[in-house]
Structure formats: C-alpha cells, structure tokens
Amino acid sequence: MAGESGKSGTAAWNGASATEVALSTQDLREVTAFAAACAAEVLAVFEADRPDDARPRHAIDAAREFAGGGERGKRLRDTAWAALKAAKDAEAGPAQEAARAAMAAAGAAYLHPLAKATQVKHILGAAAHAARAAEFAAGDDRTVGAERVERAARRATPAVVDVLARYPAAPAGGGRVGELIRELDAHLRPG
C-alpha cells in the first residue's frame, strides 16, 4: 500500500535466517499486483474458449483486491483453487494456460519466506503461464512467448525485482513454462 515503508506490515518474517527470506505484507502486495497484471493480459483467451466460466476472472480480482490492501485469506485461496479447476476443465492449450496464470496470480500472495528456488514460481509463475497461453494462441510460436517475457520484465517494478533478488535463481524443470520462468528470472536479476 502506498505510504508503507519497506518492512512495515511484516508478517512475522523479519528476523530471516539463512534459510528464510525477509518479506513484508507490502512485498507480497507488490508481487501479487505484478502477477495479477500479467494474468489479466490473457484472461480474454480463457473467456473466448469458456465464456460462462468466471473462475479465472474471480482469481485475478481477488489478487488485485489483496494487492490493493485487501485481506490475505480464504477468498484468495478459494479463487486460486477454482481457477486451477477451471484450467483442468479447459481444453489443453491457451485457455488452460490462461486459467493457470489466473491461479498463479491469486497464489502469488502466498509466496513463502523460504530461501528456495521453487518460491520463484510464486513470483513469476503468472507471467510465465500468460506467456505460454499467448504462445499457444499464436500456434505455439515461441517468439510470442519471448515477447511476453520481455513485456513482463518491463512491467516488473523495482519492488518486485528486489523481492526476486532475495531468492535463489529459478529452478530447472517445469517444461516450457519452467523455461519461461527462467528466461524472465534472468531478465530481472541484477548483475
């Protein structure tokens, strides 16, 4: 929230040990706002395929609400799970990845203060799934994914980059979405 300083609103994560990362509530809001913006870019891809299914939209709305100062609670969890179910109900391809982006946006609020590379997925997962949805929608054109990664890198605020830098680099694996996460991670890391 505007006006909060770096570590105000800290959710019991301040005295970080070697296996922990210091995170404030504001850090989580910044990461979630970034994730929601990335997921929102491909929401129309899902809605074109499944116009009567609002689950991904609800997940993005819940993420935006939290990012804007709302509660980190049941609504976020419930809408994330519902968006994941929407992904499973969708045909494989762009609609499925767009719903996964929405799920990842709501899930971004649950970034853990653990110094593990797997946590990078909470920060960059929505952007990577959105890039993959755009690739699929363009006939599996990887140049479209690369363009989306660059767009997401430009969208990332200094606060998001600062949070990302507290974690190890993105892990191996994860198929094409994992590749996109690593590409975005490489774009954003200082040095």
Side-chain angles (χ1 to χ4, degrees):
M1 227 156 59
E4 287 186 16
S5 63
K7 298 298 173 227
S8 67
T10 300
W13 301 318
N14 241 349
S17 71
T19 60
E20 294 179 337
V21 172
L23 287 176
S24 70
T25 300
Q26 183 58 27
D27 291 334
L28 296 174
R29 291 188 197 289
E30 293 282 347
V31 167
T32 303
F34 167 73
C38 291
E41 283 194 342
V42 294
L43 182 59
V45 170
F46 178 84
E47 291 177 337
D49 185 64
R50 301 184 60 88
D52 296 329
D53 190 343
R55 293 175 291 182
R57 179 174 291 280
H58 293 318
I60 293 169
D61 289 346
R64 286 177 170 157
E65 183 180 302
F66 169 71
E71 187 176 326
R72 187 179 97 154
K74 185 175 177 2
R75 181 164 186 253
L76 272 170
R77 288 188 302 274
D78 289 351
T79 59
W81 284 114
L84 180 60
K85 288 178 184 170
K88 291 177 180 179
D89 291 344
E91 295 292 322
Q96 192 172 72
E97 291 299 329
R100 287 183 185 280
M103 178 273 303
Y110 292 96
L111 172 64
H112 299 293
L114 305 171
K116 294 186 176 185
T118 55
Q119 291 303 306
V120 172
K121 295 176 192 176
H122 281 294
I123 303 168
L124 304 180
H129 282 290
R132 186 64 178 134
E135 280 182 349
F136 269 133
D140 208 12
D141 182 349
R142 291 191 174 208
T143 63
V144 171
E147 290 167 3
R148 291 294 179 133
V149 163
E150 289 178 25
R151 183 184 303 184
R154 288 189 303 271
R155 169 176 278 127
T157 64
V160 170
V161 174
D162 177 62
V163 171
L164 179 66
R166 298 175 203 170
Y167 289 88
R176 179 62 181 148
V177 171
E179 290 174 13
L180 291 163
I181 288 172
R182 287 186 296 280
E183 287 174 24
L184 181 53
D185 186 46
H187 273 310
L188 294 176
R189 282 198 185 265

